[in-house]
């Protein structure tokens, strides 16, 4: 058995994968409802849907992580039971997870054979794998140095290792779960070229994503999921992003953000030569300088992990740095007891953090407790020595209603809200406290389209009220549609600033990869 | 969506755990040839059948309320304070200093001074591990355990070399003077026309413990400090985002915890022994861990669990006195209860959660 043998399958049109009537419930939550889907061999099939629509559950059933409550799976026309991932691999299914399952300090070769070792001795397996990788690399133009240490590879190459792992296990059907979330636009393009090549060679690919652009770009057919149900399967060439968005959300959606031209006032926030070293002594911020005017949105673009998080933490007051930050002419302390999130808020900087679950919210606190989080020293929340819980609850309810948090029940724990509604709680808290400057990181990560629309409107509205907004996002679409000015971060530095109407995705993509053509 | 209703978490799980512990205990008792039913009857009679029994049960419970609250407060900041034993020993030293060296006019002032002194010394004993955890990352579990041994050594030294009255062979302090003697439940209830055993050691400290419960409840759920302690306990990264200083919260919560454990000494040292002896704490610091676990770190739960363990202590003592069941087996029974209610909590929890999920599905 090797990869080429599989090409000799008969040319009858049995679907590579067919799911019939798959249902799966977790307690009272029906994650998949009677889902049927046919994926034809040698095609790229997109599955699109909002967070929580049931895409990942469906794929987990296909990969043997969950057992469906009802329904049947057919692989190449044969009814197949997939009780665990071993069975899935044996049926020729390979999965590339959103978060890579790689051992960082192993070589590429070691990672590829991990879990597929033949005998007690490693050497023969490695030799065989090396030969096989050379073969695969030639066949699919998928080149990675087998002896490279995985943690030293770029994210794009790490993802290739995941694909290699699947191909080494003779996968014919490749499932990719949100594969472009961590890639630069250029890396995403390379990935798509690899996928196209794999398709040419007869592989079947299932692409799970929430990005409409990717679906339009590369898939042959697309299935839309909403609330656990498969709402439609259409040929990509016969649909449009607007139609898909409507199918995903169940109503008409504005994909473009409606906004007037910015009307920037005076400079509010000045950052000069900001430097930061992490615990390991690695320099994370290498002299960041920027300024922010009232009534404008400055978008910081960049691939995750290039210092954006550190920048937000320093400005938000909970990480130390050196350099100079002045807010309306007053220098802010960047270390010591004055560098404190609460004090920063009191001086007028609100902060919607990148990670709402780890930072923005206490998941085991009730919504009303979270609504005072970081503002719990405010005089209006005190009643002598005690906290005025009644006042906090009353305000929380009002804010939740204004920001359309569903369900508007302040007594529920934060963890019981969906991602979009959790984010609305954080956004409501920070905006309603009326900051001069709002730091906002990944405002719509893991947020459904309906809530994205709402949160974007709130950000624009805040700008129009004359507030200064620093937006950090890894989604270029979001940067383009919200920003009045764009700065690109790479490796702890600002690579350059552009006006959104004078640049394009290609130029920003190069800047994000550290290549400044104008400077060169 | 919660996995199961709150009453199941708070009442059903501890109850099932207890029944399991009782069942295994019964098997052990049968194995050594005794009658488990008779044993249970004897325990209930001994601990709850008379005001004498109640007097002891409540006396033990008072100790456990203090140490249980101590563990609970620290746990809200996700600090596992295993050092209640040592902190309570130091609290005993504080009580002894307050009672022996200052002539108090009345027990009320003496009690206030004893609370302050025992709390301060208990807190001081917790301060060093807290500092090491907050600033140096030394694990609080390791350091507090070690501090229990240091406390025992220190107390040994002080009792033998400093506090032992000249000519005494006993490593214990002198008897506390008369004005520092606390009123027992007998002293307090007799004027109300209620007769209560004169011999039982339960005393006014019980009410101090109950007041402490209310104060802890206010602290944790009604004060800014408690809000910050809980936030830090749930998520340190979020706490930092909100401007809460983790070092400060770790140290303060451990100081309060140590102070509560130390204040236990007003019950066992001042109220019962009326002098400081070796090993006065009798393991109450460790029982506090089980009490807090079983009481779900809530002051009200701590009171109920403390009374349960008070019952086990007193009932166990009765068993040892009146039957051939050896003293060691009583420890086994207590250990089983701790094992099932504390360590094996998940063993009962998981199947119950599954049952509740299935029930909910049926209804839908």
């Amino acid at each position: 058995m090797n990869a080429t043998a599989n090409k000799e399958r008969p040319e009858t049109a049995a679907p590579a994968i067919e799911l019939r009537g798959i249902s799966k419930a977790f307690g009272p939550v029906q994650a998949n409802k009677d889902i049927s889907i046919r994926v034809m061999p040698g095609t790229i099939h997109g599955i699109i849907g909002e967070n929580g629509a049931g895409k990942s559950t469906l794929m987990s059933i296909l990969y043997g992580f969950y057992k469906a409550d009802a329904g049947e799976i057919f692989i190449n026309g044969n009814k197949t039971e997939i009780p665990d991932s071993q069975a899935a691999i044996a049926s020729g299914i390979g999965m590339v997870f959103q978060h890579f399952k790689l051992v960082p300090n192993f070589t590429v070769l070691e990672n590829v054979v991990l879990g597929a070792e033949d005998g007690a001795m490693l050497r023969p397996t490695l030799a065989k794998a090396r030969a096989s990788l050379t073969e695969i690399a030639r066949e699919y133009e998928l080149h990675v140095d087998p002896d490279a240490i995985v943690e030293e590879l770029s994210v794009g190459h790490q993802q290739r290792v995941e694909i290699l792992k699947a191909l080494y296990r003779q996968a014919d059907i490749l499932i990719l779960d949100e594969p472009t979330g961590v890639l630069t636009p250029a890396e995403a393009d390379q990935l798509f070229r690899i996928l196209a090549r794999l398709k040419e060679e007869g592989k079947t690919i299932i692409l799970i994503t929430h990005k409409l652009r990717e679906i339009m770009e590369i898939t042959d057919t697309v299935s839309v999921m909403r609330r656990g149900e498969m709402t439609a399967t259409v040929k990509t060439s016969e649909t449009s992003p607007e139609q898909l968005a409507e199918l995903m959300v169940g109503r008409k959606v504005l994909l473009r953000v409606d906004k007037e031209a910015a009307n920037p006032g005076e400079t509010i926030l000045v950052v000069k030569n900001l430097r930061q070293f992490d615990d390991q002594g690695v320099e994370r911020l290498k002299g960041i300088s920027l300024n922010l005017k009232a009534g404008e949105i400055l978008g910081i673009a960049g691939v995750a992990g290039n210092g954006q998080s550190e920048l937000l933490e320093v400005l938000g007051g909970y990480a130390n740095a050196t350099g100079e930050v002045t807010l309306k002419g007053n220098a802010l302390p960047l270390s010591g007891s004055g560098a404190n999130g609460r004090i920063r808020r009191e001086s007028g900087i609100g902060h919607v953090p990148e990670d709402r679950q780890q930072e923005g919210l206490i998941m085991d606190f009730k919504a009303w407790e979270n609504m005072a989080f970081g503002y719990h020293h405010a005089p209006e929340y005190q009643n002598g020595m005690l906290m005025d819980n009644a006042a906090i609850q009353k305000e929380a309810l009002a804010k939740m209603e204004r920001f359309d948090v569903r369900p508007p029940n302040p007594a529920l724990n934060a963890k019981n809200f969906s991602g979009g509604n959790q984010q609305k709680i954080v956004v409501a808290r920070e905006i309603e406290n009326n900051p001069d400057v709002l730091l906002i990181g990944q405002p719509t990560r893991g947020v459904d389209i309906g809530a994205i629309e709402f949160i974007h409107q709130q950000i624009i509205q805040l700008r129009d009220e004359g507030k200064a907004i620093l937006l950090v996002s890894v989604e270029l679409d979001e940067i383009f549609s919200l920003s009045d000015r764009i700065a690109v971060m790479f490796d702890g530095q600002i690579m350059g600033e552009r006006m959104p109407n004078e640049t394009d995705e290609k130029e920003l993509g190069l800047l994000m990869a550290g290549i400044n053509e104008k400077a060169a | 969506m919660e996995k199961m209703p709150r009453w199941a978490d708070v009442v059903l799980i501890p109850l099932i755990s207890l029944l399991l512990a009782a069942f295994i205990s019964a098997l052990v008792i049968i194995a050594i040839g005794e009658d488990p039913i008779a044993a249970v009857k004897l325990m209930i009679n001994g601990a709850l059948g008379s005001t004498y029994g109640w007097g002891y049960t409540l006396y033990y419970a008072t100790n456990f309320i203090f140490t249980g609250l101590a563990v609970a407060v620290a746990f809200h900041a996700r600090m596992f304070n295993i050092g209640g034993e040592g902190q309570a020993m130091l609290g005993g030293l504080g009580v002894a200093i307050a009672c022996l060296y200052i002539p108090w006019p009345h027990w009320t002032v003496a009690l206030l001074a004893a609370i302050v002194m025992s709390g301060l010394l208990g807190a001081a004993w917790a301060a060093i591990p807290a500092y090491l955890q907050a600033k140096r990352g030394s694990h609080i579990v390791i350091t507090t355990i070690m501090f229990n041994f240091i406390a025992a050594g220190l107390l040994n030294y002080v009792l033998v070399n400093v506090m032992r009255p000249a000519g005494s062979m006993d490593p214990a302090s002198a008897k506390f003077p008369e004005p520092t003697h606390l009123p027992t439940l007998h002293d307090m209830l007799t004027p109300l026309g209620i007769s209560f055993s004169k011999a039982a050691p339960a005393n006014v400290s019980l009410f101090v413990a109950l007041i402490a419960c209310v104060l802890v409840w206010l602290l944790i759920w009604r004060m800014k400090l408690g809000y910050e302690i809980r936030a830090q306990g749930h998520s340190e990264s979020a706490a930092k985002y909100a401007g809460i200083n983790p070092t400060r919260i770790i140290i303060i919560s451990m100081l309060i915890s140590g102070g509560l454990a130390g204040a236990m000494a007003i019950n066992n040292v001042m109220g019962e022994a009326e002098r400081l002896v070796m090993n006065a704490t009798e393991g109450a610091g460790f029982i506090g861990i089980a009490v807090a676990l079983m009481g779900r770190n809530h002051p009200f739960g701590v009171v109920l669990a403390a009374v349960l363990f008070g019952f086990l202590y007193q009932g166990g003592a009765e068993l040892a006195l009146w039957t051939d069941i050896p003293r060691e087996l009583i420890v086994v029974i207590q250990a089983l209860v701790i094992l099932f209610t504390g360590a094996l909590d998940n063993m009962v929890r998981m199947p119950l959660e599954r049952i509740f999920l299935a029930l909910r599905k049926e209804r839908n």
Side-chain angles (χ1 to χ4, degrees), chain A residues 317-318 340-343 345 374 376, chain B residues 228 238-245:
Chain A
Y318 55 108
N340 171 295
R342 180 167 61 76
I343 297 173
R345 281 182 189 84
H376 53 280
Chain B
E228 296 195 341
K240 276 168 77 177
Y241 156 83
I244 297 166
N245 181 346

Side-chain angles (χ1 to χ4, degrees), chain B:
Chain B
M1 183 65 66
E2 300 298 332
K3 288 193 173 104
M4 57 177 151
R6 189 152 166 75
W7 64 266
D9 178 38
V10 174
V11 180
L12 201 57
I13 292 181
L15 201 66
I16 294 175
S17 301
L18 266 183
L19 288 177
L20 282 172
F23 177 70
I24 308 270
S25 303
L27 291 184
V28 176
I29 292 173
I30 290 171
I32 62 165
E34 294 280 336
D35 176 4
I37 310 252
V40 169
K41 271 189 190 154
L42 192 60
M43 280 181 83
I44 292 177
N45 258 327
L48 310 174
S50 63
T51 59
Y52 173 83
W54 271 105
Y56 267 96
T57 300
L58 290 177
Y59 162 74
Y60 290 124
T62 307
N63 284 343
F64 302 152
I65 291 175
F66 278 114
T67 54
L69 285 178
V71 175
V73 167
F75 194 76
H76 278 289
R78 288 301 176 277
M79 291 286 113
F80 208 177
N81 180 12
I82 311 280
E85 190 76 5
Q87 290 144 18
M89 284 184 204
L90 264 286
L93 191 60
V95 165
I97 293 169
C99 293
L100 283 173
Y101 301 113
I102 304 168
W104 298 105
H106 191 259
W107 66 266
T108 45
V109 247
L111 178 60
L112 282 177
I115 292 173
V116 171
M117 276 304 284
S118 60
L120 278 179
L121 263 93
W125 206 245
I128 304 165
Y131 173 83
L132 289 173
Q133 169 77 64
K135 289 286 188 187
R136 299 272 160 203
S138 316
H139 203 288
I140 198 94
V141 169
I142 310 287
T143 47
T144 47
I145 287 183
M146 295 200 294
F147 265 67
N148 288 337
F149 291 97
I150 303 174
L154 178 69
L155 224 65
N156 200 336
Y157 174 84
V158 169
L159 284 177
V160 171
N161 296 300
V162 183
M163 285 193 162
R164 181 169 54 93
S168 164
M169 301 285 280
D170 188 13
S173 79
K175 204 88 170 118
F176 297 161
E178 183 68 33
T180 66
H181 292 181
L182 296 179
T184 62
L185 284 191
H186 167 80
D187 300 334
M188 297 167 74
L189 292 175
T190 312
L192 303 174
I194 304 165
S195 71
F196 198 87
S197 164
K198 202 168 163 29
N203 60 74
V204 66
S205 306
L206 171 63
F207 299 101
V208 179
L210 293 176
I211 292 170
C213 283
V214 176
L215 292 179
V216 165
W217 181 81
L218 282 172
L219 167 73
I220 296 292
W221 278 284
R222 285 292 178 273
M223 286 175 70
K224 275 200 299 278
L225 178 60
Y227 180 91
E228 296 195 341
I229 287 176
R230 284 184 295 129
Q232 157 82 14
H234 282 302
S235 170
E236 183 168 324
S237 51
K240 276 168 77 177
Y241 156 83
I244 297 166
N245 181 346
T247 311
R248 180 173 166 269
I249 294 299
I250 289 173
I251 291 182
I252 290 184
S253 59
M254 279 301 291
L255 288 179
I256 296 172
S257 174
L260 283 165
M264 177 195 118
I266 60 163
N267 185 46
N268 66 335
V269 176
M270 193 178 186
E272 198 256 352
E274 294 174 347
R275 59 179 188 144
L276 185 60
V277 298
M278 295 275 278
N279 194 26
T281 49
E282 295 180 298
F286 296 115
I287 300 293
I289 299 166
V291 167
L293 268 171
M294 199 172 173
R296 299 287 182 265
N297 297 306
H298 191 285
F300 184 64
V302 163
V303 171
L304 291 184
V307 172
L308 171 77
F309 276 90
F311 158 77
L312 283 176
Y313 252 56
Q314 171 55 14
E318 290 285 314
L319 267 190
L321 195 60
W322 300 109
T323 65
D324 288 335
I325 298 175
R327 176 78 204 157
E328 287 71 26
L329 197 72
I330 313 304
V331 181
V332 169
I333 294 174
Q334 286 161 359
L336 280 169
V337 172
I338 295 175
L339 188 70
F340 276 92
T341 56
L344 297 182
D345 189 68
N346 266 344
M347 192 178 76
V348 178
R349 180 179 299 273
M350 303 285 232
L352 261 189
E353 279 178 358
R354 248 175 263 136
I355 292 171
F356 273 99
L357 276 180
L359 281 178
R360 194 174 293 156
K361 222 160 120 188
E362 291 280 299
R363 255 181 282 139
N364 289 348

Side-chain angles (χ1 to χ4, degrees), chain A residues 297-317:
Chain A
I297 299 175
L298 171 62
I300 307 267
V303 180
N306 276 293
Q308 303 97 313
S309 310
E310 287 80 2
L311 177 64
L312 285 179
E313 286 168 10
V314 168
L315 295 178

Side-chain angles (χ1 to χ4, degrees), chain A residues 171-429:
Chain A
D172 260 336
I173 300 158
L174 212 54
I175 306 170
L176 294 105
D177 188 5
E178 300 281 0
T180 59
V182 289
L183 303 182
T184 64
E187 283 174 324
D189 284 344
Q190 282 170 9
L191 172 70
F192 287 165
R193 275 200 293 279
I194 291 170
L195 294 184
R197 176 80 194 159
L198 288 168
K199 178 180 128 179
E200 261 173 50
E201 295 295 324
K203 304 282 182 194
T204 307
I205 293 161
I206 298 181
L207 180 69
I208 303 168
T209 181
H210 67 277
K211 294 182 188 165
L212 292 165
R213 198 160 44 85
E214 293 173 0
I215 291 286
M216 298 309 294
E217 198 171 321
I218 191 163
T219 61
D220 300 304
T221 15
V222 52
S223 299
V224 184
M225 288 189 73
R226 172 154 54 97
R227 292 188 189 162
E229 288 178 88
M230 195 66 89
T231 48
T233 296
V234 288
K235 278 210 158 39
T236 310
S237 53
E238 293 165 7
T239 184
S240 66
E242 287 75 19
Q243 189 198 358
L244 288 178
E246 198 180 330
L247 284 167
M248 273 164 78
V249 183
R251 63 178 168 82
K252 279 228 180 296
V253 182
L254 266 181
L255 286 180
R256 246 177 18 80
V257 183
D258 259 341
K259 61 166 187 174
E260 312 273 308
N263 187 12
E266 35 187 307
T267 302
I268 288 201
L269 185 77
V270 181
V271 176
K272 268 192 204 147
N273 199 23
L274 210 56
R275 287 179 186 277
Q276 191 209 30
F277 292 85
D278 67 10
D279 295 341
Q280 274 81 43
V282 178
E283 194 171 19
R284 291 292 173 188
L285 297 177
K286 302 178 177 174
I288 300 276
S289 297
L290 48 85
N291 51 60
L292 190 56
K293 297 189 183 69
E296 74 162 353
I297 299 175
L298 171 62
I300 307 267
V303 180
N306 276 293
Q308 303 97 313
S309 310
E310 287 80 2
L311 177 64
L312 285 179
E313 286 168 10
V314 168
L315 295 178
Y318 55 108
N320 293 342
T322 60
E324 227 180 281
V325 178
T326 49
L327 176 68
K328 293 198 278 188
N330 304 316
L332 297 176
L334 294 177
S335 60
S337 61
N340 171 295
R342 180 167 61 76
I343 297 173
R344 217 36 78 77
R345 281 182 189 84
E346 284 163 6
S347 59
I349 298 185
H351 182 189
V352 177
E354 290 183 297
D355 190 333
R356 61 178 164 273
Q357 303 205 337
Q358 294 294 325
E359 295 191 336
L361 295 168
I362 302 271
M363 301 306 279
D364 285 315
F365 269 18
K366 300 191 184 315
W368 64 265
E369 288 177 300
N370 274 303
M371 274 292 184
F373 194 51
Y375 300 91
H376 53 280
H377 283 254
E380 64 267 29
Y381 290 157
Q382 313 304 321
N383 178 10
M385 280 185 60
L386 305 181
M387 290 176 85
D388 190 346
N389 286 353
I392 298 174
Q393 282 161 5
K394 204 174 133 213
E395 266 206 49
L397 179 63
K399 286 176 191 170
M400 287 172 84
E401 280 170 354
R402 275 200 291 279
F403 276 76
D404 190 31
V405 178
R406 284 178 240 175
N409 178 0
L412 282 180
N413 282 349
K415 65 178 174 197
N416 294 330
F417 290 89
S418 71
N421 284 303
Q422 288 172 357
Q423 187 72 339
K424 281 187 197 169
I425 293 176
V426 181
V427 171
R429 180 181 72 208

